[in-house]
Each structure stands twice: as structure tokens, then as C-alpha cells.
Amino acid sequence: MWIDARARIAFDGQGRIAAIHQDWLFDEMFGTYTTQGLEKGPDGSLSAQTLQGMARDWMNALGEPVSHYFTRAAVGDQVLAFGEPRDAVVRWNPQGQRLTLSFTLPLAQPVAPGKQGVRFDIYDPTYFVAYAFDASGALALADAPAGCTQAYQPPRELDWKTMQQLAAIPADPDALPEELFAITKGLTHRIEVACR
């Protein structure tokens, strides 16, 4: 599965990072497969009820410990906890056959990034989802105080042998061998936010 992703890191009125808002635009194959057999309008649209059900089901699945919304936040070695996700919405584009999931993950406790900064890692630990933050403005800060900056680090390139091993595994997250799981855990899209 391929996702064209966007992430916006939101600050509160006290200059603390409060949440990360994400938009995941899924590839056409996923959209076609997922909506197959669903009742659609004459223009190919899906009902609001169907889209709300998708959002609810997907967020429940993403909340499982193995995936944890495919998002981690940390300050140094300290992993930050998220609160309950909110504002989950699924949109369907019948012309492009693409679904978009948007949601907000609030930090359980807002944190002032300071010079040390806050690190967000976005990745699928099972290696079945590939993210791209290629679009202009795909990464942004919202309501950040003056002096705050973001830096993006894409995942490292894999060697050919490892790519062949990963391509050969079945489409079952439990089937990923431990040594490959250790490699894929490091394939993160990293966003670092610091304020001086």
C-alpha cells in the first residue's frame, strides 16, 4: 500500500507542541479494492454513514499496539504518550478512486520542544505501507512560536538483498521474520521540531 502523506504539527497558546494532524491519501489500488461491493451513488460517491464507519473501523485498527497509529513521538530517549485520537474523517474521490484518512493525535501532555526538540517518527513496523511526503507543503508547523523550525529525514535506503527478502514475504504482518522486523523498524520518516 502506498500513501501520499501530510503531517502538520500543532502548537498550543503556550508555545507547546499539542498534537500532530495527519492526512493519508491511499493509492488507487487500495481505493478500488476497499470500496468494491459497497453501495455507491450514481456519481460513484459513498454515503456519509459508510465513510464514518470506515473512519471508526480504521482508527480502531490503527490503535492496536503493533501499529499505534504508525506514529511515535519522543524527546531524547523518552517516548511521549498520545491521548485519544480525534477528528477522524475518511473522504472518497470517485474520479481518482482514492480514499483519504485524516486524523489528529494529541499528545497526552503538551510539550515545549526547546533546543533539544521533539521527534516524530511515522512508519509501518510491518513494512506493508510505504509513505511519501513529496508534495509541496506536506510537512508544516501550525501556530508555532517564532524561532521554531522543522527538519525532515527520509528513511534510509535498503540494500538489494534486504529488499528481495522483504518482497518475498506473504501479506501477513505476523510472517515478518524477527531480523527483518528489526530492519523495518528503522525505516522511519522523521520530523524533528526544535525551538530556540
Side-chain angles (χ1 to χ4, degrees):
M1 180 187 311
W2 288 265
I3 293 176
D4 292 320
R6 292 178 173 271
R8 186 173 70 252
I9 296 166
F11 286 73
D12 65 13
Q14 298 175 47
R16 302 173 303 177
I17 293 177
I20 179 169
H21 177 82
Q22 298 188 62
D23 299 301
W24 296 353
L25 176 60
F26 297 93
D27 64 81
E28 296 89 339
M29 188 181 306
F30 178 78
T32 301
Y33 174 78
T34 303
T35 61
Q36 188 176 20
L38 295 178
E39 186 175 333
K40 296 179 183 170
D43 60 351
S45 62
L46 294 170
S47 71
Q49 183 178 359
T50 296
L51 294 172
Q52 288 168 355
M54 278 185 186
R56 182 184 59 249
D57 293 346
W58 291 358
M59 293 309 291
N60 285 339
L62 285 167
E64 293 295 322
V66 69
S67 54
H68 203 260
Y69 309 105
F70 294 165
T71 306
R72 297 285 186 273
V75 174
D77 293 333
Q78 179 191 357
V79 175
L80 303 177
F82 288 112
E84 286 297 311
R86 62 176 190 256
D87 309 324
V89 175
V90 171
R91 291 180 302 282
W92 166 242
N93 178 332
Q95 290 76 33
Q97 300 288 295
R98 297 185 79 176
L99 289 157
T100 302
L101 171 65
S102 300
F103 62 96
T104 300
L105 278 179
L107 290 175
Q109 292 292 326
V111 62
K115 291 182 180 177
Q116 181 180 12
V118 176
R119 181 179 71 249
F120 290 89
D121 289 319
I122 299 171
Y123 68 103
D124 175 8
T126 62
Y127 193 67
F128 293 102
V129 177
Y131 289 91
F133 288 89
D134 297 336
S136 175
L139 299 169
L141 302 180
D143 302 317
C148 293
T149 58
Q150 66 179 9
Y152 169 67
Q153 180 182 335
R156 61 181 170 76
E157 296 278 333
L158 289 176
D159 62 83
W160 181 247
K161 181 181 176 186
T162 304
M163 286 193 295
Q164 285 181 312
Q165 288 176 295
L166 289 168
I169 59 176
D172 176 2
D174 296 331
L176 196 64
E178 196 60 41
E179 65 275 9
L180 291 179
F181 187 76
I183 292 169
T184 60
K185 260 186 110 171
L187 299 177
T188 66
H189 293 267
R190 177 163 289 177
I191 308 160
E192 294 180 333
V193 180
C195 299
R196 49 182 164 83

